[in-house]
Amino acid sequence: MIIGIDVGGTHADGVLLDGDTLVAKHKVSVAQQHLSDVIITLLQHLVPGDRSTLQRIHLSSTLCTNAIVTGALDPVGMLLQAGPGMNPDFFAKSCPTWFLDGAIDHRGQILRDPDPGKIDAAALAMRREGINSIGIVTKFSHRNNRHEQQVAAQLVGRFAHVSLGHRISGLPNFPRRVYSTWLNAALASQFSLFKNALEEGLAHLGITCPCHVLKADGGTIPFSRACEFPCESVHSGPSASVMGCLALAAQTDDAILLDIGGTTTDIALLVDGAPLLEPYGVNVAGRPTLIRALKTTSIGLGGDSRVAWHNGTFRIGPERQGTSMAEGGTAPTPTDAMVVLGKLAVGSQQQAAMAMLALCPKESPEYTATLLLESFVEHIRLAVEAMIEEVFARPVYTVAALLHRRRIQPKRIVAIGGPAAALQSFLGQALFLPCTVPANYEVANAIGAARARLTVQASLYADTGDGRLSIPELSCLETISSRYSMPDAEKRLKGAVSMMVAEMGMKSCPEIDFLERLEMNVVRGFATSGKILTLKAQIRPGLTTI
Amino acid sequence: MSSFMPHALHKTALILFPAFDWCISPNHPEREERLLYTRDQLIEEGLEDVENILFFNPELATFHDINRVHLSVPSAEKLLTESHLISAGGTLRAARAVMEKEAEKAFAIVRPPGHHAMQTVFGDRGFCVINIEAIMVEYIRRHYGVRKIAIVDTDCHHGDGTQDIFYNDPDTLFISLHQDGRTLYPGSGFLHESGGPAAEGYTINLPLPPNTCDEGFDMVMERVVMPILDEFEPELIINSAGQDNHYTDPITNMNFTAQGYARLNRLLNPDICVLEGGYSIEGALPYTNLGIILAMAGMDFSQVREPDYDPSRFTQPPEMTKYIEALCSKALGVFAGRGSRRAEAQQRRIVTNQKNIFYDTTGFHVQERTSYHLCPKCPGYSEIKATGHNRHIHAYTVPFNACRGCQGEAKDMFQKGKPESGTIIALQDRIEDIYETK
C-alpha cells in the first residue's frame, strides 16, 4: 500500500491506496510552520495497522514555498564563470555573487582556466559575510564540468553546502542553471531540518518504508536524493493535481486538465494522454530555473473570485474578497451563480440571488447567473487556446520538425476542484468537448502524489572530434573513440539512467524514452573531422502500474 | 519575465532557424552544422528568458511571395525546396513582427542566404537561390504600403543579387560594404555600379581592401553610410547581416570583429536584420550573432568577445586608412550626384544593359539583356530577356512605384508577345500583385 500526502496552502490531504483502490482518506488544516507535524498527524490517521504492508510514502509539500515566503532560505554565495557573452552583472541582484575568470566555449572546450587566487579571495569574502552555502556554475558546464569540479575541489571542506550547476540539470541556459543552483543551495538547511523532523516522526510511528518526494515534473524521487537536490521538491502542488487527474480519469488522447479552486484555475495539457512538460523548467521566486516541471498555467479565476459588472461585461477576479455572498461574503462570486442555478448546494439561496441582483438589478438572477458562468468558462477557453498556441509556437530547429508540427487537439476536459461539477455543462458547451468530473476529486492531489512514479532524466553530449563525452547529471566526463556512434550513445545513456534508478532503490527500471537525438558532422576544411552527438533520455512522468 | 533577468531596451524578435537537416552538400560551407554553435551560444546565454526578446518560428513563404520578386526559370516550384521557402518565410515573419508591432526590431537568423540571387533565377549562385531580403522588401511594400527602404549589406561579398533587383528603384537605397571585387567572389560591386537610369546614385558600393579592420568599417559607417541614410530618410532600414568580414572567416580576407559587428549595428540601428553569409561557424558566428542581437536589443555587448580576440593583432596600416578615406569621399560623391543624368537618359526612352551571370554552384552562364523603358513620371518598367541552360525568359516587370501608363504599356507588351516553345513570356506586375506566364 502507498500513502500519498499533499500539503496545500490552507489544508493537507492524505490517502491510503491499495493498488488503485482508495482505502482511507483524511484532511487536516495546515499550520505552515510545522509542516512535519501536519504530515505526521495525517500519517497517524492513515497508516495501516500492519506496518509491513506499507510500501512507500509519497509527499507533496509546500516546504520550498514556505521557505521563500517566510525568508527562511539560507544565505547563498554564488561563484560564477560567465565567459564571453551577455554582461552577467544582473546575477548579483539575486544574491551575493563573485565572478571568476577563465572560460569554456560552446563545444565544451576549455579556453582558459580560472585563477585559483580569485577563487580563494571569493571564498574568504563569502566566509566574512557569513555565507555557508554556495553555488558554483560555469557557462557551458553541461558540456564540460571540469571548472565547476576544480573550484569545488579547491574549496572542499570550507562550506557546509556546495551545489554544482551541472549536477542540477543537463540542459543549456546559463541563467536558469545559475538560479536553479542558487535555489538548491538556499534550501539546503531547511530541507535537512524537515528531513530530521520527519524521520523522527516516522520512527515514532514505527514506519520504516521508504519516503519519496513529489517533484514538479509529476514524478518522485527518494528522500535521500531530495536532500542532495532539495530544489527538485518545489512546485509539486500543480503536478500532484495533474497526476491526480490522470489517476482518476486516464486518457489516451490529447486532453485539457482543469483544477478549479476558490481563487485560481490551473490548466494542464495532455498530449496523447501524457502530461506536457515545460521546455526548460519552472519559475521559482521570480527566477527562471531548469527544474523540470509539467507545463501548467494558473489564471486568477475561481469560485470565490470577486465579480463586478463593468461596461457590459463581467470582470471576474483575479482577486477574491472573502467567500461568496451565499456563504456570508460581501461581494458577488461565481459560486453565487452556481447556487442560484441549483448546481451547488452551499449557503443561502436567497443571498446568492441578491448577489446576482447586485450585479444586474434589471435582470433575473437566473439569467445573470447563466451569463456569469458562461463568461467564467469563456475565460478558461481563451487561456486554454493561448496555451495551445504557445506550445505550438515553441522553437523548432529542423525543416522536418517545422513541417510536421502538430497542434494539440483536445478530445476531452477533465475538471476537478470545488466548482468543477457545477461548471461541467458550461465547460462542455464553451469548448465543444465532453467534460469529465471524476469521483473522489477532492483528494485528487493526494492520489496523484501516491500514484506518481519515479522520474529521471539524463543528457549526453559527445564530440568525437575532441574525443570527449559528457553526462552532466552524473558529473561524467569520459574519453571516447573517434568511431563513437549514436547506438553507443544510446547504450551509454540507458546505462546511466538505469544506474540512477537503481541508486534510488527501485528494483525495476520503467521504459526509457530517448529525446532530441541530434547527430551532426563536424567539417573542418573540406573533410569530416568528427561528429557531435546529443541525446536525452528520460523516464517520463506516469503512474505506477498496479 | 522577472527582475532577475536582463531587460532588452528595444523589443526584439528573433527568428532563429538553423535548419539542422538541410545542406547544399555535406562538406559545403552551407551545411547542417553552420548555425549549431550559434544556436548553442544563444540558448546558453538564456536569451529566451530575457525580457523583451521574443523567439518566433519561421513561416513558409508562398510561391506568390517569390514570384513578386523573381523571374524563375523554369519556375519557382521547380527550383525551390521547402528549405528555401522557410528561409524566405523567416524574413517574412521578421517583417510581420516589426510591421505589426509585435516587436520594435527583428533578426532573421535563417539559412540558406539570399543576397546573390538576382531577379532572374536559373539555379543556385553563391549559396543563394532566392533573394530573401528582396522578397521581404516587396512583401512589406505589398502588405504595409511602405515606400522608402534602405538595405545596408554588410556581408563580405558584394550583394550583387540585391543590387540587381533594386537597381532601377529610387525608393530603395542599396549600400553594400564588402571586400573589393578584384579579390573576392562575385567580382562586382565597384563604385561605378551606382544604379539604373532612373535610380542613379541609389546604389552605393564600398569595395574595401582586404584586411580592413574595425577602424575601416567604423569610418565608412560614420562618413558614408550614416550621412547618406540621414539624407535618404528611409521608412525602414534593413541590414543584410552577413558575418564573413570576421577575421576568422575561412573564405574571405577581412579583419572585422564581433565588437565591430555589434558597434556597426548599434550605429546603423536597423529595423530588421537578415543573416547572410558567415562561415567561421565556431570562432565567429556564435559571437557575431550574439553581438548583433544585443546591439539591436539595446543591451550591453561589451563582453562579447571571441576567445582568441586580441585587439593588438588588428591595427590598420595608415595607408589603408588613407585609401578608405578616399573611397568614402568618392562614395559620397556618387550619392551627391544622384539623378544628375536622369534627364539625359529619359530622352533615350529605352536604356539597355547586357550582362553575363555566372551560376557558380553548378557552373553555367546566363546571358541577360535588361531594357529600362523610362518614363518622366515614374521609374518606368523593365523588359528582361535571359537565356541559360537552353531556356529563355522574356519578361516585363512593373515596379510597385510605376505609373498607370507604364503598367498598361507593360501589360500590352506582354499580351502581344507570342508564345514560343522553350521561352517563358512573363508579366510581373507588382502594382496588381500578379505574375503571369505563357
Side-chain angles (χ1 to χ4, degrees):
Chain A
M1 292 199 273
I2 295 178
I3 289 178
I5 287 176
D6 175 60
V7 184
T10 54
H11 59 267
D13 288 300
V15 293
L16 175 66
L17 296 187
D18 187 358
D20 61 352
T21 315
L22 182 60
V23 178
K25 56 183 177 181
H26 194 71
K27 186 192 267 304
V28 294
S29 71
V30 165
Q32 295 288 355
Q33 296 87 327
H34 303 289
L35 210 52
S36 48
D37 294 352
V38 171
I39 294 164
I40 298 300
T41 311
L42 277 173
L43 286 174
Q44 278 166 346
H45 285 91
L46 294 169
V47 76
D50 179 1
R51 301 292 197 258
S52 68
T53 58
L54 188 61
Q55 292 165 287
R56 273 194 316 276
I57 297 169
H58 287 181
L59 277 177
S60 159
S61 84
T62 47
L63 178 87
C64 173
T65 317
N66 295 352
I68 292 165
V69 171
T70 59
L73 297 173
D74 293 340
V76 173
M78 295 296 290
L79 274 171
L80 305 182
Q81 181 192 67
M86 209 152 68
N87 185 334
D89 287 348
F90 65 93
F91 288 117
K93 276 197 238 166
S94 164
C95 76
T97 302
W98 284 263
F99 292 103
L100 304 177
D101 56 358
I104 294 169
D105 80 357
H106 41 77
R107 265 180 88 177
Q109 288 162 339
I110 291 178
L111 300 174
R112 213 173 53 250
D113 283 329
D115 171 8
K118 270 197 169 175
I119 300 168
D120 270 330
L124 278 173
M126 286 196 265
R127 298 297 315 188
R128 266 200 306 275
E129 290 193 22
I131 290 167
N132 210 12
S133 186
I134 67 166
I136 302 166
V137 190
T138 71
K139 199 176 271 180
F140 293 110
S141 62
H142 61 306
R143 295 278 159 88
N144 187 339
N145 58 48
R146 192 164 296 154
H147 283 172
E148 285 184 6
Q149 302 271 28
Q150 266 173 22
V151 177
Q154 192 180 327
L155 299 181
V156 74
R158 292 207 235 174
F159 295 93
H161 177 90
V162 179
S163 288
L164 301 186
H166 70 274
R167 296 275 287 149
I168 311 267
S169 170
L171 296 185
N173 199 320
F174 181 57
R176 283 179 181 264
R177 197 175 317 117
V178 170
Y179 292 136
S180 314
T181 310
W182 163 80
L183 183 65
N184 202 59
L187 286 169
S189 47
Q190 277 298 306
F191 203 87
S192 135
L193 286 174
F194 175 63
K195 181 187 177 242
N196 293 342
L198 195 66
E199 275 174 354
E200 208 174 293
L202 290 176
H204 203 71
L205 289 174
I207 297 172
T208 53
C209 72
C211 193
H212 281 218
V213 172
L214 189 71
K215 300 186 292 175
D217 71 353
T220 66
I221 42 167
F223 227 83
S224 54
R225 189 176 159 87
C227 282
E228 200 184 338
F229 298 106
C231 69
E232 296 250 39
S233 73
V234 307
H235 208 67
S236 61
S239 85
S241 154
V242 170
M243 300 316 285
C245 276
L246 280 183
L248 295 172
Q251 303 296 317
T252 50
D253 289 322
D254 294 358
I256 303 163
L257 306 185
L258 300 174
D259 185 348
I260 309 169
T263 15
T264 57
T265 295
D266 289 345
I267 307 168
L269 298 171
L270 301 183
V271 177
D272 295 329
L276 194 72
L277 290 153
E278 286 280 1
Y280 290 103
V282 68
N283 283 7
V284 185
R287 295 157 176 90
T289 75
L290 289 175
I291 299 162
R292 203 162 93 124
L294 300 179
K295 166 96 190 144
T296 56
T297 300
S298 189
I299 53 174
L301 192 74
D304 296 332
S305 295
R306 191 172 71 163
V307 181
W309 177 254
H310 186 72
N311 285 345
T313 53
F314 291 107
R315 239 198 90 226
I316 311 175
E319 70 291 340
R320 68 183 277 180
Q321 190 177 318
T323 56
S324 65
M325 284 175 69
E327 294 160 289
T330 51
T333 65
T335 298
D336 293 311
M338 297 170 206
V339 172
V340 164
L341 296 178
K343 292 190 175 282
L344 197 65
V346 294
S348 146
Q349 183 88 31
Q350 201 185 350
Q351 282 300 315
M354 291 300 288
M356 295 302 108
L357 286 172
L359 286 171
C360 305
K362 290 180 187 158
E363 304 291 350
S364 75
E366 289 75 15
Y367 178 78
T368 307
T370 306
L371 228 53
L372 172 53
L373 295 187
E374 280 172 359
S375 161
F376 188 98
V377 295
E378 178 63 11
H379 279 95
I380 294 178
R381 189 184 70 78
L382 290 174
V384 167
E385 238 172 46
M387 200 170 163
I388 290 175
E389 177 55 34
E390 186 197 324
V391 171
F392 183 72
R394 282 180 183 174
V396 293
Y397 300 123
T398 61
V399 173
L402 186 77
L403 296 177
H404 299 117
R405 280 185 304 165
R406 179 173 84 84
R407 192 180 286 274
I408 296 172
Q409 286 180 313
K411 297 281 186 296
R412 178 172 293 279
I413 307 163
V414 179
I416 60 168
L423 290 168
Q424 189 171 14
S425 62
F426 285 92
L427 284 166
Q429 270 163 25
L431 285 101
F432 296 106
L433 290 173
C435 179
T436 306
V437 177
N440 289 325
Y441 69 73
E442 72 287 355
V443 284
N445 287 23
I447 291 175
R451 292 284 310 277
R453 71 177 185 197
L454 192 92
T455 57
V456 171
Q457 69 280 342
S459 36
L460 178 146
Y461 178 81
D463 190 329
T464 67
D466 292 349
R468 201 159 28 79
L469 173 146
S470 162
I471 303 175
E473 291 86 349
L474 297 177
S475 286
C476 154
L477 209 54
E478 333 176 309
T479 313
I480 50 169
S481 89
S482 59
R483 291 185 305 277
Y484 200 81
S485 66
M486 191 53 94
D488 295 331
E490 284 179 14
K491 204 172 141 199
R492 179 71 186 84
L493 200 54
K494 194 170 179 181
V497 169
S498 310
M499 196 182 88
M500 288 165 90
V501 169
E503 272 177 6
M504 291 188 205
M506 302 304 280
K507 284 179 198 76
S508 66
C509 181
E511 190 190 343
I512 296 171
D513 304 331
F514 288 114
L515 313 166
E516 295 173 42
R517 253 187 213 90
L518 185 67
E519 184 169 354
M520 191 76 78
N521 284 328
V522 177
V523 178
R524 292 298 171 266
F526 282 90
T528 304
S529 68
K531 262 185 206 302
I532 289 177
L533 308 168
T534 53
L535 181 67
K536 287 191 191 117
Q538 68 163 4
I539 293 171
R540 82 180 98 112
L543 302 171
T544 41
T545 41
I546 300 145
Chain B
M1 172 167 292
S2 71
S3 61
F4 297 107
M5 285 303 291
H7 176 100
L9 203 60
H10 311 296
K11 201 172 192 180
T12 303
L14 300 180
I15 294 87
L16 172 63
F17 193 74
F20 287 144
D21 50 355
W22 182 84
C23 66
I24 288 180
S25 63
N27 291 344
H28 193 280
E30 201 45 79
R31 64 179 179 273
E32 295 93 335
E33 185 194 1
R34 185 172 165 228
L35 291 174
L36 174 64
Y37 312 108
T38 294
R39 194 272 313 245
D40 287 354
Q41 185 79 35
L42 300 186
I43 298 301
E44 175 70 354
E45 290 294 333
L47 285 182
E48 287 171 288
D49 297 309
V50 171
E51 202 178 327
N52 270 346
I53 290 189
L54 313 168
F55 280 70
F56 294 124
N57 280 319
E59 54 198 36
L60 268 79
T62 62
F63 289 110
H64 190 76
D65 294 320
I66 312 299
N67 289 335
R68 189 180 293 126
V69 170
H70 288 295
L71 305 166
S72 308
V73 184
S75 69
E77 285 83 346
K78 290 235 166 71
L79 287 177
L80 303 181
T81 64
E82 279 150 340
S83 309
H84 299 109
L85 297 177
I86 292 170
S87 169
T91 69
L92 302 189
R93 186 67 188 90
R96 201 148 54 79
V98 170
M99 299 313 296
E100 301 194 357
K101 303 206 174 352
E102 289 171 281
E104 284 172 66
K105 293 163 180 301
F107 186 7
I109 309 174
V110 295
R111 50 182 289 269
H115 76 149
H116 295 305
M118 303 202 169
Q119 189 179 4
T120 55
V121 174
F122 285 72
D124 187 312
R125 62 186 300 276
F127 317 166
C128 309
V129 181
I130 47 171
N131 195 306
I132 58 178
E133 281 93 346
I135 290 164
M136 176 176 79
V137 163
E138 292 304 334
Y139 174 91
I140 290 172
R141 285 187 165 139
R142 179 70 206 162
H143 294 279
Y144 302 101
V146 174
R147 189 175 181 98
K148 287 177 84 172
I149 295 179
I151 304 171
V152 179
D153 189 323
T154 54
D155 189 281
C156 192
H157 302 88
H158 175 227
D160 55 348
T162 315
Q163 170 173 310
D164 174 71
I165 293 167
F166 298 110
Y167 206 53
N168 200 40
D169 177 7
D171 287 317
T172 306
L173 173 67
F174 177 67
I175 307 177
S176 181
L177 282 63
H178 48 263
Q179 183 176 329
D180 195 310
R182 288 170 295 187
T183 61
L184 189 70
Y185 179 88
S188 55
F190 301 102
L191 271 167
H192 66 82
E193 299 162 37
S194 60
E200 197 214 335
Y202 292 92
T203 292
I204 308 288
N205 279 303
L206 290 152
L208 297 167
N211 301 320
T212 298
C213 299
D214 286 9
E215 193 191 336
F217 283 92
D218 287 349
M219 181 185 276
V220 292
M221 285 302 294
E222 285 160 14
R223 295 198 184 181
V224 182
V225 179
M226 297 318 294
I228 291 181
L229 284 172
D230 286 346
E231 218 169 313
F232 180 69
E233 293 185 320
E235 294 161 69
L236 270 183
I237 298 176
I238 292 156
N239 179 202
S240 283
Q243 294 164 28
D244 39 8
N245 285 299
H246 194 264
Y247 64 87
T248 59
D249 199 273
I251 60 176
T252 63
N253 317 89
M254 301 296 254
N255 282 335
F256 206 33
T257 65
Q259 280 291 310
Y261 265 110
R263 217 166 38 243
L264 182 151
N265 270 277
R266 188 172 60 191
L267 192 63
L268 181 63
N269 194 20
D271 300 284
I272 302 170
C273 279
V274 176
L275 175 65
E276 281 292 337
Y279 300 96
S280 171
I281 61 177
E282 219 182 307
L285 295 197
Y287 309 103
T288 46
N289 275 306
L290 179 61
I292 293 171
I293 293 166
L294 295 181
M296 290 184 88
M299 295 172 71
D300 180 1
F301 56 76
S302 61
Q303 316 221 5
V304 181
R305 284 172 198 281
E306 304 82 344
D308 60 352
Y309 176 69
D310 172 6
S312 65
R313 274 170 61 200
F314 307 115
T315 40
Q316 202 168 269
E319 56 278 15
M320 188 181 287
T321 307
K322 258 198 177 134
Y323 177 90
I324 297 172
E325 265 177 344
L327 181 70
C328 288
S329 314
K330 287 181 207 161
L332 285 171
V334 171
F335 186 67
R338 64 192 179 280
S340 59
R341 292 205 304 264
R342 183 163 177 186
E344 181 200 329
Q346 210 86 73
Q347 291 185 340
R348 283 155 64 196
R349 286 283 296 130
I350 298 173
V351 173
T352 300
N353 287 342
Q354 290 260 31
K355 66 176 150 189
N356 180 328
I357 304 166
F358 180 54
Y359 282 76
D360 58 304
T361 307
T362 41
F364 64 91
H365 290 265
V366 169
Q367 301 301 326
E368 187 168 301
R369 195 181 137 92
T370 305
S371 301
Y372 298 109
H373 293 252
L374 300 171
C375 165
K377 285 186 275 181
C378 76
Y381 68 95
S382 37
E383 180 182 359
I384 297 148
K385 282 183 174 175
T387 299
H389 255 344
N390 296 323
R391 294 178 192 273
H392 313 278
I393 186 161
H394 186 175
Y396 301 91
T397 294
V398 181
F400 83 102
N401 48 8
C403 68
R404 289 284 163 194
C406 289
Q407 185 194 19
E409 198 176 311
K411 197 173 176 183
D412 287 346
M413 299 277 278
F414 168 72
Q415 276 163 355
K416 278 184 209 147
K418 290 207 176 62
E420 301 164 45
S421 74
T423 298
I424 300 165
I425 300 182
L427 175 67
Q428 183 178 58
D429 181 346
R430 293 182 190 153
I431 298 174
E432 297 290 328
D433 200 23
I434 49 171
Y435 181 74
E436 254 183 86
T437 56
K438 60 182 181 183

